[in-house]
Amino acid sequence: MSHSTHFQEHSLDIAVHEDWFAAYAAQERTREQGDTSPMDLKIAHTRAVLANARNMVANEAFPAPLSRSCLLAALYHDVGRFEQYLQYHTFRDKESCNHGQMGVRILKKEQCLAAEHPTVRRLVLAAVGMHNRFALPAHIPNGIALVTNVVRDADKLDILRIMDAHLNGPGPYNPTVVLQQPDDPTIAGEGILAAVREQRVAAYADLRCVNDFRLLLGTWFYDLHFPSARRQFLQDGHAMALLCGLPQGTPQAPLRDLMVQRLKAANIC
């Protein structure tokens, strides 16, 4: 085994951090007096986002310090969610706090990254702090952009899994999961429909109902940064299932057909 291969493998071992996260999440969960299922959802989500990031790191051949930063940022990206839920009982940042910034404060306070190389620490804190923005600022350093975009892609891939399970599942879904959007088949957000037509990612601010949410999730394909993430998006099939669950006769139906057509075409390429 070459020295660089050994270093690469060593750099991908973040077991100490995974143990810390598991203990922290369990401790925060015991502080919740009411329903702990939203916290359980975030614990499972974190594991899945980390798995997605591992897949991307394995396929994209990043240099070792960047690979390690990607995995740590994926593990810690939602560490602020527990405190957010305990304080506000919502995951809507607009109605509570910025969970990315909250995560940075927690990582600093708990000194989770103290043993890491300063470069890794800087990349991870930046990615945790910015992963939840609608768009990243222009002209940020390449390393920060890369690590943050790995987290954003890995995050989106798992949110699609969660939304597919909730919206296409057998039972009623929790309104928190669809950000309290009404399930009204007669309305549509013009901004969402325009984004599909223009082949760009739709904005949460334009959501007007649950059917808009299904379309918005399909447009995430346009906001993925790495070939391995786009491959997984198509192979997982969650976006396609969400789009196909959109009923006929709704204002979104023609745009749904357009989005399905585009995804099928992308899958053939």
Side-chain angles (χ1 to χ4, degrees):
M1 182 190 291
S2 72
H3 175 72
S4 64
T5 310
H6 176 74
F7 180 69
Q8 179 75 8
E9 284 178 3
H10 170 70
S11 76
L12 300 186
D13 178 2
I14 60 163
V16 171
H17 290 276
E18 290 178 77
D19 291 346
W20 182 88
F21 177 84
Y24 175 78
Q27 164 209 304
E28 292 293 274
R29 192 179 178 280
T30 61
R31 293 174 57 206
E32 173 52 46
Q33 303 298 302
D35 180 14
T36 55
S37 66
M39 288 192 168
D40 295 336
L41 195 73
K42 285 298 168 194
I43 294 168
H45 168 65
T46 294
R47 290 200 189 105
V49 170
L50 178 57
N52 291 342
R54 280 195 202 283
N55 180 51
M56 289 162 67
V57 161
N59 282 284
E60 301 294 342
F62 305 133
L66 282 179
S67 292
R68 183 171 183 82
S69 303
C70 290
L71 298 187
L72 289 173
L75 174 67
Y76 287 134
H77 81 287
D78 269 358
V79 72
R81 287 297 200 185
F82 302 99
E83 192 63 45
Q84 178 187 41
Y85 190 74
L86 284 167
Q87 283 187 33
Y88 305 99
H89 283 95
T90 181
F91 290 139
R92 293 191 76 167
D93 284 15
K94 261 199 202 152
E95 291 164 18
S96 54
C97 65
N98 180 324
H99 77 274
Q101 296 303 319
M102 172 80 84
V104 170
R105 285 198 295 277
I106 288 163
L107 292 174
K108 285 180 172 175
K109 181 174 149 238
E110 300 285 342
Q111 297 194 309
C112 301
L113 302 167
E116 295 296 325
H117 189 280
T119 303
V120 171
R121 197 181 315 140
R122 183 173 54 86
L123 290 170
V124 173
L125 290 172
V128 171
M130 288 196 294
H131 81 276
N132 57 327
R133 292 191 181 198
F134 178 65
L136 296 188
H139 315 304
I140 59 171
N142 288 346
I144 289 176
L146 185 141
V147 175
T148 309
N149 282 328
V150 165
V151 174
R152 285 159 75 87
D153 282 13
D155 199 16
K156 283 185 171 70
L157 290 169
D158 191 58
I159 293 169
L160 284 164
R161 175 191 64 82
I162 293 167
M163 298 307 295
D164 186 11
H166 275 74
L167 291 182
N168 295 336
Y173 54 82
N174 186 329
T176 311
V177 176
V178 289
L179 308 179
Q180 275 87 25
Q181 293 296 325
D183 200 349
D184 183 339
T186 65
I187 56 177
E190 268 313 311
I192 304 285
L193 304 184
V196 176
R197 277 193 292 268
E198 294 159 23
Q199 301 194 44
R200 58 180 170 80
V201 67
Y204 279 128
D206 290 328
L207 287 172
R208 297 291 173 268
C209 62
V210 173
N211 285 337
D212 279 350
F213 214 140
R214 288 177 180 271
L215 266 188
L216 175 142
L217 293 164
T219 70
W220 278 2
F221 185 70
Y222 302 127
D223 199 33
L224 296 174
H225 299 83
F226 302 96
S228 55
R230 286 191 285 275
R231 271 198 306 277
Q232 189 179 332
F233 181 100
L234 296 166
Q235 285 164 5
D236 284 352
H238 298 305
M240 198 64 95
L242 284 157
L243 289 165
C244 293
L246 224 162
Q248 289 289 24
T250 57
Q252 294 88 351
L255 280 304
R256 169 205 65 191
D257 295 344
L258 186 60
M259 193 73 226
V260 164
Q261 216 178 323
R262 286 188 186 140
L263 291 180
K264 280 183 176 166
N267 212 4
I268 294 161
C269 297

